[in-house]
Amino acid sequence: MSSMSDNQEPILVKEESVEGIPSPLLKLKSWQWWVLVSINIFFLIGGQAASVLLGRFYYDEGGNSKWMATLVQTAAFPILYIPLLLLPSSSSTDSDSSEPPCSLKTIVLIYVLLGVIIAGDNMLYSVGLLYLSASTYSLICATQLAFNAVFSYFINAQKFTALILNSVVLLSFSAALIALNDDADAPSGVSSSKYIVGFVCTLAASALYSLLLSLMQFSFEKILKRETFSVVLEMQIYTSLVATCVSVIGLFASGEWRTLHGEMKGYHHGEASYVLTLVGTAVTWQVCSVGVVGLIFLVSSLFSNVISTLSLAVTPLAALVVFRDKMSGVKIMSMLIALWGFASYVYQNYLDDLKVRRARKLAQAGRTDPLC
């Protein structure tokens, strides 16, 4: 990748200049943009892989509360106040915007709606991870890319090219292989009917998560209309607050809170390990969330979801080492097909980047030739 001097244009051109190309952080230069994207990719992949492994560890070592597993996915949101306080206020950066500010009532409604969706999605993921091995769970989660391509097309006007369609089809086949696998390696004590429940819940969670990403991008672009990282963090903080409140209500309403003391006492590695597992899971989920929302802000919801599918190349292999999950031929084939689908989207993203670069060069040269 060629470097850019200080007086060169930012990496991306305005969205209205090239139809269908996202327009995040136009003031950033190429190397700055790539550094931010790389950091968020690391947060997303590392956080997601670690949180899934810790979640499976919680169940394997004696944890059984689905609402607790749901709660820890958002409970650590207060740590996000640290970077928020270190960033300049979003209001000061948007003072010169011609768009009227969004009303407080609208913002609260957005946060509450997204927060409730997050809580429901987290619950579905918790049930799925309870009844599936970490590697199987991760491979099914790869279908979120296919769901997000569809949602992004209808909600975010994302282009639906032949390569993206290829990704959708391949990832659907990958999930179908897992669903039809007769030699499923469900965790000990999990019946075939519970395995099916875990598969359905994980698939539904992937669809709901994809819808959530598209709604977040829509909120940034059409409602909030503010492009600062503090806005991204505020959305993550306050939607997590709502999701945490919903999870706490569910924990007490279900009566699972009564079993937590006995669960901690009976944890295989002791009470300290129980607490550290929950705390570690909570922190890594927030690290993952920062990466997810950051990539939505910097690129698009579809790109964010594509990068999250990279965990299928990390989490199953990590689960193979940590939990000695069985990697059957069906799982390996499913992984290879999913990687093929991922590569198709990456290549489409590469073509889009070339299109943006050509548009920028034409603009610099003062030409108005239409793009191919």
Side-chain angles (χ1 to χ4, degrees):
M1 180 179 63
S2 59
S3 59
M4 298 179 67
S5 61
D6 290 341
N7 60 352
Q8 283 181 287
E9 295 292 325
I11 182 171
L12 296 178
V13 296
K14 290 185 180 294
E15 186 173 8
E16 55 268 23
S17 300
V18 184
E19 184 179 357
I21 302 298
S23 58
L25 296 180
L26 301 175
K27 296 180 180 179
L28 289 179
K29 301 194 171 49
S30 177
W31 68 269
Q32 294 173 320
W33 186 80
W34 280 111
V35 166
L36 283 176
V37 169
S38 299
I39 291 173
N40 281 278
I41 288 175
F42 175 78
F43 283 169
L44 196 162
I45 295 176
Q48 181 166 288
S51 58
V52 169
L53 293 178
L54 286 171
R56 185 63 254 171
F57 182 79
Y58 164 75
Y59 287 132
D60 285 345
E61 298 304 311
N64 196 45
S65 173
K66 295 183 287 292
W67 278 110
M68 176 57 72
T70 301
L71 176 61
V72 296
Q73 294 183 48
T74 54
F77 72 89
I79 66 176
L80 298 181
Y81 277 107
I82 298 175
L84 180 64
L85 294 175
L86 296 177
L87 291 171
S89 173
S90 59
S91 58
S92 63
T93 58
D94 297 324
S95 58
D96 59 343
S97 175
S98 59
E99 296 289 345
C102 191
S103 68
L104 179 61
K105 182 179 179 181
T106 302
I107 293 176
V108 170
L109 183 62
I110 291 172
Y111 290 161
V112 170
L113 175 62
L114 294 179
V116 171
I117 294 176
I118 289 172
D121 190 49
N122 290 345
M123 183 58 175
L124 288 172
Y125 275 129
S126 297
V127 175
L129 191 56
L130 174 62
Y131 297 138
L132 301 174
S133 66
S135 55
T136 301
Y137 169 88
S138 299
L139 289 173
I140 297 173
C141 286
T143 58
Q144 63 197 34
L145 175 59
F147 287 118
N148 196 225
V150 176
F151 287 130
S152 293
Y153 175 79
F154 288 105
I155 298 176
N156 309 118
Q158 182 80 37
K159 284 188 174 181
F160 208 75
T161 65
L163 286 171
I164 291 180
L165 179 61
N166 184 55
S167 294
V168 171
V169 172
L170 289 172
L171 289 165
S172 299
F173 282 154
S174 176
L177 282 176
I178 295 294
L180 298 175
N181 183 17
D182 293 330
D183 190 27
D185 58 329
S188 177
V190 174
S191 63
S192 58
S193 60
K194 289 183 177 179
Y195 177 87
I196 294 174
V197 170
F199 177 87
V200 172
C201 286
T202 305
L203 193 65
S206 297
L208 190 58
Y209 176 74
S210 300
L211 175 62
L212 176 67
L213 290 182
S214 291
L215 291 176
M216 285 177 124
Q217 185 178 349
F218 180 84
S219 299
F220 286 136
E221 293 178 351
K222 305 299 183 182
I223 303 176
L224 299 177
K225 297 180 180 178
R226 293 182 294 167
E227 294 191 347
T228 64
F229 200 73
S230 59
V231 173
V232 176
L233 285 175
E234 286 169 3
M235 174 174 283
Q236 180 60 32
I237 288 171
Y238 297 119
T239 56
S240 295
L241 171 62
V242 174
T244 300
C245 292
V246 172
S247 300
V248 170
I249 293 172
L251 180 65
F252 282 91
S254 66
E256 286 188 2
W257 65 275
R258 298 187 182 92
T259 67
L260 295 182
H261 181 72
E263 184 177 282
M264 182 170 63
K265 290 291 185 181
Y267 203 66
H268 296 169
H269 281 74
E271 297 178 20
S273 176
Y274 179 83
V275 174
L276 288 176
T277 299
L278 293 179
V279 171
T281 305
V283 172
T284 51
W285 272 119
Q286 288 307 306
V287 171
C288 173
S289 296
V290 170
V292 168
V293 183
L295 288 178
I296 294 174
F297 175 59
L298 289 167
V299 190
S300 70
S301 64
L302 185 56
F303 183 80
S304 177
N305 216 344
V306 167
I307 295 303
S308 71
T309 63
L310 269 178
S311 66
L312 68 88
V314 176
T315 306
L317 297 178
L320 181 65
V321 175
V322 177
F323 300 119
R324 302 188 183 278
D325 281 3
K326 182 174 64 174
M327 288 299 290
S328 63
V330 173
K331 273 191 182 180
I332 294 174
M333 182 62 67
S334 175
M335 180 185 295
L336 293 175
I337 292 175
L339 286 173
W340 184 6
F342 171 79
S344 294
Y345 178 77
V346 169
Y347 183 63
Q348 179 63 61
N349 196 65
Y350 168 75
L351 295 178
D352 289 342
D353 185 64
L354 289 181
K355 186 176 181 180
V356 172
R357 290 175 182 272
R358 183 186 174 196
R360 185 174 64 248
K361 289 179 180 179
L362 290 175
Q364 290 174 342
R367 296 171 56 186
T368 58
D369 298 15
L371 297 176
C372 296

